[in-house]
Amino acid sequence: MLRTGASRSLLRSVTSAVRPLARTTHNGAFTGPSAALGLKRPGALALSAYKQASISLQRPATTAATTAYRIDHEAEKKYGERLFADEQAEEVTTDSSVRHVFEEPQSDVEKDTDMLAGVKADLVTIKETFSLQAVPREALYIGLAGVLPYLATSMTTFYLAWDINFAHATGQGFLLSGATAEALLHIIEPLQVGYGAVILSFLGAIHWGLEFAKYGGQHHGYKRYMIGVFAPAVAWPTILLPVEYALTTQFLAFVFLYFADARTTVRGWAPAWYSTYRFVLTFIVGASLVVSLIGRGEIMDKIGHQPGPAEKLQALRDSQMENLEREEQERRAKLAAADEEEEEGVEGEGEEGGDDEGDE
């Protein structure tokens, strides 16, 4: 290979650039900035040379990556202009996405539409709840027939209360006299309370039947039996309470049993439709009890107090005690009279004996 002047000058420049980094002495030893490091760590010189080579190789790749991921603002601007050229671009204004502090309210038509939509949704929910499509027809019909006495007694109580108020206001009842309406009201009271006690006991007995049938795959024992025992234990003592307290207690018992039945349905202890079925019947019964309580609350100070079973038992006990005391007094009076007669007889015999002795 021929050496020209250009090639010789290129070799001199490369030699002068490399010479400060690493020079050797005549005996082959390294001199320069890395001499001390090379003496201590033989591999340091090779590592430094490798780093310089790797940096020089990485720079072109880094520059290419930066160029590839650089944002082209001009292209983005043109793309945005094409989007705004769409058909809906006319609806987008500087004020379309800004909500002003003071602005005109929505139109009444929009409000009415939203309100009607909400009402329709509520009506659909109520319709689905009260449709009871999954409930067997026999259970549905018999259950609805079972709440008829509650509806009859509550409506009658409410009407009689209104008639009693009307009689007190005008001096004459609308259809019945005040005394007749009050007498009928006192007849209906024990009927409603007694029927409520029967229905509560029946609802508790259902859980015993489910336990006997092993519904849910297994026997649950006392947990299910206690629900059946709780209902009559609360229901039957209410017949001894005054009517207002009895109806209120039965209302709370019906609500508690509904939540218990809903819980058992979730656990799988009862059919899936049972909770909805119980909700509808409990709603009717609870509304009937509330109507009865409202009617009675309007005439509390206008009717006489009819003694309840507990008061009747107390009156019976008091009368028995009075009879025992009277009999005891009569017995003592008889004994006292007998004693007096005996004393008079003894005195009479003594006087007769004295007279006989005097005659002798």
Side-chain angles (χ1 to χ4, degrees):
M1 180 177 177
L2 299 176
R3 293 185 180 181
T4 61
S7 62
R8 290 172 182 168
S9 62
L10 179 62
L11 288 175
R12 290 193 189 98
S13 61
V14 172
T15 306
S16 62
V18 175
R19 188 175 299 163
L21 294 176
R23 294 192 300 270
T24 57
T25 59
H26 295 285
N27 57 3
F30 283 98
T31 61
S34 302
L37 182 62
L39 294 175
K40 295 180 179 179
R41 297 174 62 183
L45 182 61
L47 182 60
S48 61
Y50 172 75
K51 287 183 178 180
Q52 292 178 359
S54 62
I55 291 172
S56 63
L57 292 176
Q58 289 178 0
R59 282 176 182 173
T62 305
T63 305
T66 305
T67 305
Y69 289 101
R70 183 179 298 171
I71 298 175
D72 192 348
H73 295 283
E74 294 296 332
E76 294 292 335
K77 184 177 180 180
K78 293 180 181 179
Y79 179 72
E81 291 176 355
R82 287 199 302 271
L83 288 180
F84 277 102
D86 196 10
E87 295 179 356
Q88 298 180 355
E90 297 178 356
E91 301 178 0
V92 180
T93 62
T94 57
D95 297 332
S96 61
S97 60
V98 178
R99 186 173 183 86
H100 300 284
V101 178
F102 299 100
E103 61 182 0
E104 295 181 359
Q106 295 181 352
S107 63
D108 296 335
V109 177
E110 295 179 357
K111 290 183 178 179
D112 294 339
T113 303
D114 295 338
M115 186 178 297
L116 290 176
V119 171
K120 289 180 181 179
D122 295 337
L123 291 176
V124 170
T125 303
I126 294 173
K127 183 178 179 181
E128 292 177 355
T129 302
F130 286 90
S131 62
L132 302 174
Q133 295 295 332
V135 180
R137 298 297 95 181
E138 296 83 359
L140 177 61
Y141 297 150
I142 296 175
L144 293 176
V147 300
L148 291 179
Y150 262 113
L151 292 174
T153 53
S154 63
M155 293 296 104
T156 305
T157 300
F158 191 81
Y159 170 75
L160 293 175
W162 178 83
D163 211 347
I164 291 172
N165 279 328
F166 186 83
H168 276 265
T170 61
Q172 184 179 0
F174 185 75
L175 293 178
L176 304 172
S177 63
T180 304
E182 183 176 349
L184 289 176
L185 184 63
H186 291 318
I187 293 174
I188 291 174
E189 290 171 354
L191 294 178
Q192 188 173 16
V193 174
Y195 187 73
V198 172
I199 295 300
L200 285 171
S201 301
F202 174 77
L203 293 177
I206 290 176
H207 291 276
W208 282 57
L210 294 174
E211 180 66 17
F212 291 161
K214 200 178 180 180
Y215 192 92
Q218 60 181 352
H219 291 293
H220 299 283
Y222 291 108
K223 293 181 180 179
R224 183 178 279 177
Y225 285 129
M226 288 303 297
I227 300 175
V229 172
F230 170 80
V234 173
W236 286 106
T238 58
I239 63 175
L240 303 177
L241 299 175
V243 180
E244 293 79 10
Y245 295 104
L247 295 178
T248 304
T249 304
Q250 289 185 3
F251 175 82
L252 297 176
F254 274 112
V255 173
F256 174 80
L257 281 178
Y258 163 70
F259 282 108
D261 292 339
R263 186 63 179 170
T264 55
T265 303
V266 172
R267 292 180 177 178
W269 297 2
W273 51 264
Y274 188 62
S275 60
T276 306
Y277 175 69
R278 283 281 290 111
F279 171 77
V280 174
L281 298 183
T282 303
F283 178 81
I284 298 173
V285 172
S288 302
L289 291 174
V290 170
V291 170
S292 298
L293 290 172
I294 292 173
R296 291 191 58 83
E298 295 294 328
I299 56 172
M300 287 296 297
D301 56 343
K302 300 174 183 177
I303 60 174
H305 178 67
Q306 185 73 10
E311 296 176 348
K312 291 179 180 179
L313 290 175
Q314 185 64 33
L316 178 62
R317 182 179 179 181
D318 295 339
S319 63
Q320 290 177 349
M321 293 298 296
E322 292 176 358
N323 291 333
L324 290 176
E325 290 178 359
R326 185 171 59 254
E327 291 176 358
E328 183 66 19
Q329 290 176 359
E330 292 176 355
R331 188 180 67 81
R332 289 180 180 180
K334 291 179 180 180
L335 291 176
D339 293 339
E340 290 178 357
E341 290 178 357
E342 289 180 358
E343 290 177 357
E344 290 177 356
V346 172
E347 290 178 355
E349 291 178 356
E351 291 178 355
E352 291 178 357
D355 292 340
D356 293 338
E357 291 178 356
D359 293 338
E360 291 178 357

